[in-house]
Amino acid sequence: MSSIDTWVSEFRARSAQLPGAALPWLAAQRQHAIERFADEGWPTRRHPRWQHTSLAFMEQQEFAPAAQPVDAAAALAALRGDETGHWLVFVGGRFAASLSDIGPLPSGALVLSLAEALESHSEDIEAAFGNAADGDSPAALNTALAADGAFVRLAPGVALDAPLHLVSIAGASEASRHLRHLVVAGSGAQATVVEHYIGGGQSASLTTAVTRIMAEADARITHLKLQQEAEQAIHLASIASVQARGAHFASHSLSFGARLARNDIRTRFDGEGCEALLNGLYHVDGRRHVDHHTCIDHARPLGNSREFYRGLLDGQSRGVFTGRVVVARDAQRSDAMQRCDNLLLSRQAEADARPELEIYADDVKCAHGATVGEIDEDSLFYLQSRGLDEIHARRLLTYAFAAEALERIELMPLRSRARAALLARLPGGELLEELL
Amino acid sequence: MLDINNLQASVEGKAILKGLDLHVKAGEVHAIMGPNGSGKSTLAQVMAGREAFSVDGGSVTWDGQDLLAMPIEERARAGLFLAFQYPVEIPGVSNAYFLKAAVNAVRKHRGLPEFDAMDFLTRVKAEMKAVGMKEEFLYRSVNEGFSGGEKKRNEVLQMALLEPRLAILDETDSGLDIDALKVVADGVNRLRSPDRALIVITHYQRLLDYIVPDQVHVLSHGRIVRSGGRELALELEEKGYGWIGDSGEVHHQPPAAGAAS
Ligand SMILES: Nc1ncnc2c1ncn2[C@@H]1O[C@H](COP(=O)(O)OP(=O)(O)OP(=O)(O)O)[C@@H](O)[C@H]1O
Ligand SMILES: [Mg+2]
């Protein structure tokens, strides 16, 4: 069972063995976090940030380890292909050194597993770890239980030459995994971080993930998340970034797997002239559910934010988007734009898109728009009138709708990867393979 | 080759084609003219299989087959081509992919080997040159952001690649500059052959200087109300449609001798 009490006892059983358990600050944060979780419980629709996604069912939900053995090496090989770059692999929420391939890093770049870094860099981690009050109760559960993740620190001006891939593979022996990734980028540093989530068998399992990104002045961080967990998985994640003056943050959230996936993505402009791009693409079918809850906090002037979310909703699925934008009183000349477009592939699918603008400054540009539509009949007819059969034409138009989100991914190998992941989800994707 | 008898079609309960007759033989080019809203595009779309229009009566027989019973894509594969009055923009689908998928769908149906990427590129580049399109149009999304004239050229390109047996051009000449007009005319004339037929819908006699039709028809209020040789187009240009009367009375002039050159 996943009732609150189960998690509290799990915490009691595990906490002494968690990496860094001997660090007083960390033990205290974990203790506060589990208390907060026990106090608040799973969010329900009564919670203002969870109006379209209730986790009340979690009280009753059973989670069990995968019934079959997991060949993590094979899963990784299939995922990685021949792509170079820096790879950190986590199996069952724990760093798997033998599968990882960090490779040579430029000087000034530090990449460690969180468990390792707690031994050698605990002060840096304390500053970046976050605390029990962050996010909502699922994030607090992560704060209490996260045993591993990545710790990335870039000295000022250091640029990672290739993407850093953080791969989470569901293991055979655990029913839940809790990852915490910390990225600290010095001024002018640059990196692309890719989080992958795969695996999870026939039985229900839980992944929680918290990613915290601190970008100093003029740093440029691109974050891409490719969530392809098994269809019984529950995936609860948050990505939180803080940007100093002139920092640039891009987030691409591709959510294709899991029975229920929730991504809280927020960034705060802590200095003037920050830029953020939040790009998202999701596909759900059956009775699956996906929710992106975003918040851009224009705390300082001259910030520019762009949000684009696109959803493909099939079966009786539901796609939820909330775009909260806060512009502080002195954040003059802020420019915020937001769009959410959903394509319904079935009459029973449902889309919710909601902007939440809170604007206290007067010299600002804010725009938002949302659409929900079906496949365009004129386009369908045009394609068929050129000899394409209806199924091919529908798939092509579905793909085309999603492709716009892919085009915002600048690095070509990542874009191709995202495209392949999408085509693998779409029925008849192989027909469209030559688009690759 | 094509026999349309007493064709009646409506959209949302509104009758648009009200008993239309048209007969086109292999090797012929027919021009259809007529006032705005008279049903020209409706006729073209019904022939291509647009389901928004309901066919309420009459028949369309094409090479002995019941055209109206065929699914949209089967019509295309069998060699029917409609150049749209308003070509559709399809963001996210590259023109190259679209053209290749279309050409291969048609080739497969005809028992020809499908083009691979190389063969296709060679072929499409040659045709693009002929219609005066730059290669970059291959890599842009289908018709997205194309100018009016570029969209029309893209239609002519598709026609050239698909080599239809029956092509219907719905105002492919509208909004074109004089060079583009020649491109369209050239595309049509290259396609002309004894086993093909073409129907050219136009408002301008100018196009018919380049594409000399065997017959000209006037469509008004959902019927062909007058048919004649190419001089009918000149007459229309001079006098407008008023003199025809639009009561739905049907006149027929046999084509003047020599018009079918
Ligand atoms: N989808 C539709 N819904 C309602 N009415 C329609 C629809 N499509 C066509 N019509 C109507 O049918 C009539 C015939 O339209 P059609 O497009 O066939 O005319 P046309 O002869 O091609 O005109 P034009 O010369 O302006 O292109 C018009 O009155 C038009 O408004
Ligand atoms: Mg028309």
Side-chain angles (χ1 to χ4, degrees), chain A residues 70-80 87 89-93 99 166-172 174 177 179 195-201 205-207 225-231 233 235 256-258 417 421:
Chain A
V70 170
D71 187 344
L76 176 66
L79 176 77
R80 180 169 176 178
W87 292 74
V89 180
F90 302 86
V91 179
L99 297 176
L166 310 175
V167 183
S168 164
I169 304 175
E174 87 288 350
R177 56 210 72 82
L179 287 140
E195 289 182 43
H196 304 262
Y197 292 86
I198 58 170
S205 78
L206 172 68
T207 300
K225 173 168 167 177
L226 197 43
Q227 187 275 109
Q228 306 184 78
E229 290 192 318
E231 305 227 334
H235 184 94
F256 298 149
R417 177 174 281 285

Side-chain angles (χ1 to χ4, degrees), chain A residues 308-331:
Chain A
F308 304 96
Y309 284 81
R310 295 214 138 192
L312 302 172
L313 309 177
D314 206 345
Q316 291 162 273
S317 67
R318 186 147 190 208
V320 180
F321 168 78
T322 307
R324 187 170 152 78
V325 175
V326 182
V327 181
R329 199 204 307 258
D330 68 343

Side-chain angles (χ1 to χ4, degrees), chain B residues 41 85 170-171:
Chain B
S41 293
Q85 182 174 4
D170 190 358
E171 293 198 30

Side-chain angles (χ1 to χ4, degrees), chain B:
Chain B
M1 167 182 240
L2 178 72
D3 291 291
I4 303 179
N5 287 305
N6 192 28
L7 183 63
Q8 296 153 49
S10 60
V11 60
E12 287 162 15
K14 176 182 164 196
I16 298 170
L17 300 184
K18 302 168 185 167
L20 183 142
D21 297 295
L22 182 68
H23 304 278
V24 181
K25 293 200 188 77
E28 289 182 346
V29 174
H30 288 226
I32 297 180
M33 306 181 82
N36 295 132
S38 56
K40 302 180 298 296
S41 293
T42 301
L43 171 65
Q45 300 261 326
V46 165
M47 287 181 64
R50 182 76 203 228
E51 277 152 12
F53 298 99
S54 73
V55 175
D56 306 322
S59 65
V60 180
T61 310
W62 179 34
D63 276 348
Q65 292 189 81
D66 177 3
L67 180 73
L68 300 176
M70 294 165 77
I72 306 165
E73 59 267 28
E74 292 301 327
R75 300 181 194 196
R77 291 172 187 180
L80 178 78
F81 180 86
L82 167 63
F84 283 52
Q85 182 174 4
Y86 304 109
V88 181
E89 299 194 8
I90 311 183
V93 176
S94 79
N95 213 17
Y97 179 90
F98 165 66
L99 295 170
K100 182 163 170 242
V103 169
N104 279 340
V106 168
R107 285 181 68 87
K108 197 169 157 186
H109 180 85
R110 295 181 190 162
L112 296 168
E114 293 181 40
F115 280 134
D116 65 18
M118 286 303 291
D119 292 344
F120 171 71
L121 277 180
T122 314
R123 178 82 216 284
V124 76
K125 283 178 185 173
E127 292 296 348
M128 287 178 92
K129 206 166 164 189
V131 301
M133 279 174 84
K134 290 208 190 94
E135 255 177 57
E136 61 168 270
F137 286 97
L138 274 180
Y139 307 105
R140 286 173 59 175
S141 291
V142 177
N143 293 326
E144 192 187 25
F146 288 23
S147 75
E150 288 162 354
K151 284 180 181 165
K152 297 297 173 89
R153 282 180 203 251
N154 206 29
E155 294 292 290
V156 177
L157 172 65
Q158 291 164 47
M159 182 174 78
L161 287 167
L162 296 174
E163 302 178 300
R165 290 190 305 123
L166 173 61
I168 306 164
L169 286 84
D170 190 358
E171 293 198 30
T172 305
D173 57 329
S174 290
L176 291 188
D177 63 38
I178 195 76
D179 291 341
L181 190 70
K182 284 182 184 152
V183 162
V184 171
D186 192 48
V188 169
N189 289 329
R190 275 190 296 143
L191 210 63
R192 270 182 115 145
S193 80
D195 56 349
R196 293 195 172 119
L198 289 118
I199 298 172
V200 180
I201 297 170
T202 182
H203 284 296
Y204 307 103
Q205 123 73 22
R206 191 180 60 163
L207 178 70
L208 305 181
D209 287 341
Y210 299 101
I211 305 172
V212 180
D214 298 294
Q215 280 196 52
V216 175
H217 308 276
V218 179
L219 206 166
S220 175
H221 287 103
R223 308 172 83 185
I224 302 288
V225 293
R226 192 170 286 256
S227 300
R230 63 183 286 208
E231 67 291 341
L232 177 56
L234 291 165
E235 207 173 346
L236 289 167
E237 183 121 302
E238 203 178 307
K239 302 189 194 158
Y241 293 109
W243 62 282
I244 289 173
D246 38 26
S247 57
E249 228 181 305
V250 179
H251 304 261
H252 188 79
Q253 293 179 352
S261 56

